[in-house]
Amino acid sequence: MTILEGRRLSRTYRLGSVRVPALDNVDIKIDRGEFVVLQGPSGSGKTTLINLLGLLDRADKGEVLLEGRPVSGMDEDQRADARRDLFGFVFQSFNLIPVLTALENVEYPMTLKGLPRKTMRRRAYEVLSRVGLSGKQGVRPDLLSGGERQRVALARAIVNDPQVVVADEPTANLDSQTADGILDLMRELRDDREVAFVVATHDPRVVARGQRVVTLHDGRTLGKP
Amino acid sequence: MSVWSLAFRNLLRNRRRSLLAGAVVMVGFAAFALAGGFMAQSLEGLREGTIRNGLGHLQFADPRGFEAGADSTLEHGLTDAAEIEQTLRSDPGVLEVLPRIDFVGLVTSGDRSVPFLGTGLDPAPEARSMDLAETLASGRWLLDRDQRSVVLGAGLAAALRVGVGDTVTVLATTTDGVLNAVDASVVAVADIPIKELDDRFLATSLGLAGDLLMADDHVSRFVVILHDAADDRPVLQRLLQTLKGRGLDIAGRTWEDLAVFYRQVRLLYMGIFGFMGVVLVVVVLLATANAMLMAASERIREIGTLRALGTRPGQIRRMFVIEGALLGAAACVAGALASLAIRTVLNHSGIVLPPPPGVTHGMPLHIKFYGETYLVGAVAMALTMMLASYLPARRASRMPIVDALTHV
């Protein structure tokens, strides 16, 4: 079942007076529980596509459909609510909130949903335990290792039970052993929760684990997406 | 993890900057509170002085008497003085009723003659209710209603070159337009705070004024002192109704209706204080806006992350505004403590301010605690901080998420 779809997506950026096409007429479908890898060289449009699919950016042309419904008519608040309820995000640089502990970082998306405090705490503990960070709840991000930070980010991404986790170069700042651990965890979470993962990467180890690999080049998909 | 908690922790993120911004607000608040306390104290002093220096809380006179000046000597005097006085005294809100005869004339001593503004009064209740008896520089206050003595302003006494124990001749026009004169001894010289009045002031007993003007028990007006000054308007309305019910055509005014100088000074003070308040708010706004702008600029990437996670732009703005409000509240508490400490030091310093225009004495510096000033100051500073926070937060929250996430 398709939960996220991009139809004929195009996006052009402006660098001063120069227009730089980043994505050109791309079609893509993501099914529930699928592990999709977007690969391609730098500047091929992976991040642009992931940003459009994750409702972080708006396409110049084309349409993103979320559970079959177009998102182009949504205002900023509706898009924010959709990201909160249906998406999880994992960034290359972890992007944890430095003033919050690991536990509080995980609780944050639930705060946005207005869940009761006890529920948030219980679920945050559960998810942190699931990513192997029991005992690190009260630690601030600057005292965690890179792998631990990415695990916290992963816990934060899945704590609201999203339909899709969008990950942009999630292993780029990690050593190979830690990266393998994170990838294993992603697969397990996908299997446990039937959450789809869309991962943009250069990393061949990630590509090797992709259930489906979409290759981008100069803003276009190569072969059948 | 509430937005309040997050905002609080963000404030602690760069303690030095938060402290500096807070210090600006603290100083602004303290300046506002101290200036407000000083202004309110000055106005209260002026109000009490206006009331106790002769105006009283209420005045009753013939309707035409309020329109005529002091030179209309009993032209519109009250003929039913005893009945009116009894009616006024019967109201439970009334503490004291002071009959007065206003008149003008010349006072002479030897070859010197000086015009005066005179008041015939009942000495005993005047001494109880008014500050006049306490302004005596020498001599003693009048003793009874019929005493043939006068109290002169220090300026008037100096112009006549007379002192306590000397005799002066008081000349005035009677109600029939005849020039009349009486001799009176000077029993006291009063130090009247307003110089123009000090040079013309003459007070005497109702008896002497009545004889001089051939007043036949008429009085110019009644001054009323109330138990509670705040009741002036209700009591005035009540008394006017009662007087009207008894067929007495009497007009009444509150002290504030009559105190033109007080109203002008209050307007002036409000203007000065308002202008100072606006300047303070602008200074605080500019100083703190810079700090909040820095705070927002440093966290653009983090704001991008929060928005990616599903935080609405309005929630981002609210978080910054709460940061501003928290900082403003903490700074106001510190400012309140600082202003209380400064106030204590100043009030015990013995500093005497130079006399304001028209006043002969300097005033000791005294800054009273006025809760309203602190409340208004806190609200003004908190709103200023919230505005200072809102503007950079608005800009940051409107930034495209992808730009914010890649911001360096």
Side-chain angles (χ1 to χ4, degrees), chain A residues 82-97:
Chain A
R83 287 193 299 270
R84 177 196 68 194
D85 296 336
L86 301 172
F87 287 91
F89 294 89
V90 179
F91 303 98
Q92 179 179 340
S93 304
F94 323 124
N95 290 33
L96 300 176
I97 309 302

Side-chain angles (χ1 to χ4, degrees), chain B residues 347-368:
Chain B
N347 287 352
H348 288 87
S349 65
I351 295 171
V352 177
L353 299 175
V359 174
T360 54
H361 302 295
M363 289 164 47
L365 176 62
H366 187 81
I367 299 165
K368 204 172 174 179

Side-chain angles (χ1 to χ4, degrees), chain A residues 51 56-57 76-77 80-81 83-84 89 91 93 95 97-100 104 107-108 111-112 117 140 156, chain B residues 1-3 6 9-10 13 301-302 305-316 400-402 405:
Chain A
N51 287 339
L56 299 177
D57 197 7
E76 278 307 311
D77 284 350
D81 293 349
R83 287 193 299 270
R84 177 196 68 194
F89 294 89
F91 303 98
S93 304
N95 290 33
I97 309 302
V99 294
L100 304 182
E104 290 163 341
E107 281 181 344
Y108 184 78
T111 307
L112 297 174
R117 186 178 168 77
R140 293 224 169 148
R156 182 178 67 182
Chain B
M1 169 48 48
S2 70
V3 66
L6 184 55
R9 290 190 207 184
N10 283 330
R13 188 186 293 214
R301 194 170 174 150
E302 192 177 308
T305 304
L306 294 176
R307 289 198 58 202
L309 295 178
T311 312
R312 292 179 171 190
Q315 290 172 312
I316 298 284
I401 298 172
V402 288
L405 286 170

